[in-house]
Amino acid sequence: MRKNVHCGISISGGGLRYVELKKEGTSLKCNARAKVFLPKEVIQMESVIDTEALYLALKKLKKKIGRFGKVKAAFGIPMRDSHEGFVDFPRNMPFDEVIKSLHWQLDQYLPLTAEKAYYDAVEIDFPFPPKDSNQRESFRKYLVIASSKSFIDKIMKAITSAGFFPTALEPTSIALFRSALISPKDSEGLADAFDSKEGYLSFFLGDTISLIALGYKDDGIFYRPVMLGRKTNSEYLVQNIVKEIKFTVDYLNGYYPYLGINRLFLIGLTKLASELRDALKSAVAFPVTLLDPWKNFPLKERPRGGGWEAPLGLALRDII
């Protein structure tokens, strides 16, 4: 693997997308991109159905990348093939004890038992209720991620057999959220959102599934996939997106009544951008901003079309 080169590959109904980044000092360069379309039977409702067909598509992608030997890359797991949850553990509990504890109580938070799942956890910055100082001082909040062992074993076999070396497997939702963190610093409202004691919403438009995420500082603290995207066959796509975002805002206001939402970022939009922003301005009580992480790169390095935020976020995994 070449020095300072980081690669990400997303797996979704829209196809396999590959992004290769090179870190040059404090800047990033997009060395290469590649895409391979997937037959419809491979992924249905954003869940992998046919791993043999996925393997064949991965072989095509490897050939398209055109490199000898194993290609090291972080892979994104389709949203419906992974699960995320948030769990409190005592502040003084060592991380290895956190993982051991999850073995006995994973199914309390996620629809999987530890015996049938691969799982991991990471500490996040979380806005505990301001009046509950004891909770903030006594506990840490962890994001817990899990997928079934049978699924991961099949995916790993397809990936490695096709000539790749997976440096990580993580949910596409996590990679999407990470991609937004490198948006140009002069993007409207971005600095204020990250520095605020309030939260901010991000909407990522996908091909067949989209994501609504609640962010706090640099961490995602809520992820909600919605089954609509740029390939949705509906003349009411914009209205349906607005409806899903409003529903999410109402839910979050009830679940986190102490946490305000100060902005909504729309990410990964192309033709729908202006129409959706205008529709949302009258539907939500906070500013709506278009955000494009790819604006950090020269025009010649930017991909055409949408759906490239997930592989970008995966390639950034070991950079930010």
Side-chain angles (χ1 to χ4, degrees):
M1 187 69 178
R2 288 168 288 176
K3 190 176 180 181
N4 295 327
V5 171
H6 304 269
C7 306
I9 297 174
S10 63
I11 303 172
S12 73
L16 302 174
R17 289 183 175 91
Y18 168 85
V19 166
E20 179 180 306
L21 300 180
K22 183 175 183 181
K23 190 173 183 181
E24 299 179 335
T26 58
S27 63
L28 289 173
K29 179 181 179 181
C30 182
N31 276 351
R33 301 179 310 276
K35 180 178 179 181
V36 169
F37 290 98
L38 291 173
K40 290 183 178 180
E41 67 271 13
V42 178
I43 294 181
Q44 296 179 12
M45 299 294 285
E46 285 306 308
S47 180
V48 176
I49 303 299
D50 188 340
T51 52
E52 178 61 28
L54 176 63
Y55 157 72
L56 295 175
L58 284 165
K59 284 189 66 176
K60 287 183 182 179
L61 180 63
K62 174 69 163 54
K63 186 176 181 180
K64 206 168 187 178
I65 294 170
R67 291 225 309 268
F68 293 104
K70 295 277 187 179
V71 175
K72 292 184 177 181
F75 281 78
I77 301 171
M79 291 188 208
R80 294 188 65 242
D81 287 322
S82 60
H83 305 277
E84 300 99 32
F86 298 90
V87 186
D88 293 340
F89 284 102
R91 184 167 288 275
N92 60 358
M93 180 180 284
F95 182 71
D96 60 339
E97 292 297 323
V98 168
I99 297 300
K100 289 179 183 178
S101 179
L102 281 171
H103 179 82
W104 303 107
Q105 51 181 307
L106 187 68
D107 58 352
Q108 295 180 27
Y109 309 107
L110 300 174
L112 290 168
T113 62
E115 289 78 11
K116 296 183 178 181
Y118 291 118
Y119 57 93
D120 202 355
V122 62
E123 183 183 350
I124 62 171
D125 198 349
F126 189 84
F128 287 104
K131 293 182 179 180
D132 196 348
S133 58
N134 289 334
Q135 188 177 10
R136 179 181 294 275
E137 294 172 1
S138 303
F139 292 92
R140 299 178 193 269
K141 183 76 73 173
Y142 287 85
L143 166 63
V144 179
I145 302 168
S147 287
S148 75
K149 285 183 177 180
S150 60
F151 168 75
I152 294 297
D153 289 344
K154 291 177 182 178
I155 290 292
M156 284 291 289
K157 182 179 179 181
I159 290 171
T160 55
S161 298
F164 293 92
F165 181 90
T167 58
L169 296 176
E170 75 172 6
T172 297
S173 53
I174 308 298
L176 284 171
F177 187 85
R178 185 184 300 116
S179 73
L181 299 180
I182 68 152
S183 297
K185 296 186 183 302
D186 59 354
S187 299
E188 181 186 345
L190 188 65
D192 291 340
F194 289 168
D195 293 338
S196 174
K197 292 183 179 180
E198 295 184 308
Y200 55 93
L201 276 184
S202 297
F203 175 77
F204 299 85
L205 182 67
D207 293 312
T208 57
I209 188 170
S210 299
L211 177 72
I212 303 172
L214 175 65
Y216 177 73
K217 306 295 185 182
D218 292 342
D219 288 314
I221 62 172
F222 172 86
Y223 297 95
R224 180 177 177 242
V226 289
M227 296 305 298
L228 48 79
R230 59 177 62 86
K231 291 187 176 181
T232 301
N233 186 21
S234 172
E235 60 181 306
Y236 303 108
L237 179 58
V238 169
Q239 294 95 316
N240 289 337
I241 293 173
V242 171
K243 181 180 177 181
E244 294 292 351
I245 291 175
K246 286 181 65 178
F247 174 85
T248 304
V249 171
D250 290 342
Y251 171 81
L252 291 172
N253 285 338
Y255 198 78
Y256 298 119
Y258 57 89
L259 181 66
I261 298 174
N262 60 21
R263 189 171 292 270
L264 168 62
F265 294 109
L266 303 178
I267 304 162
L269 281 80
T270 49
K271 298 177 181 178
L272 288 177
S274 297
E275 183 182 356
L276 181 56
R277 179 177 56 183
D278 292 344
L280 282 163
K281 282 182 177 178
S282 60
V284 296
F286 36 80
V288 180
T289 300
L290 300 179
L291 208 60
D292 184 3
W294 282 100
K295 282 191 175 180
N296 259 335
F297 300 88
L299 276 173
K300 64 180 180 180
E301 296 179 16
R302 301 177 196 174
R304 294 183 179 180
W308 289 89
E309 289 74 31
L312 174 61
L314 290 161
L316 289 166
R317 191 175 190 274
D318 294 324
I319 298 177
I320 62 173

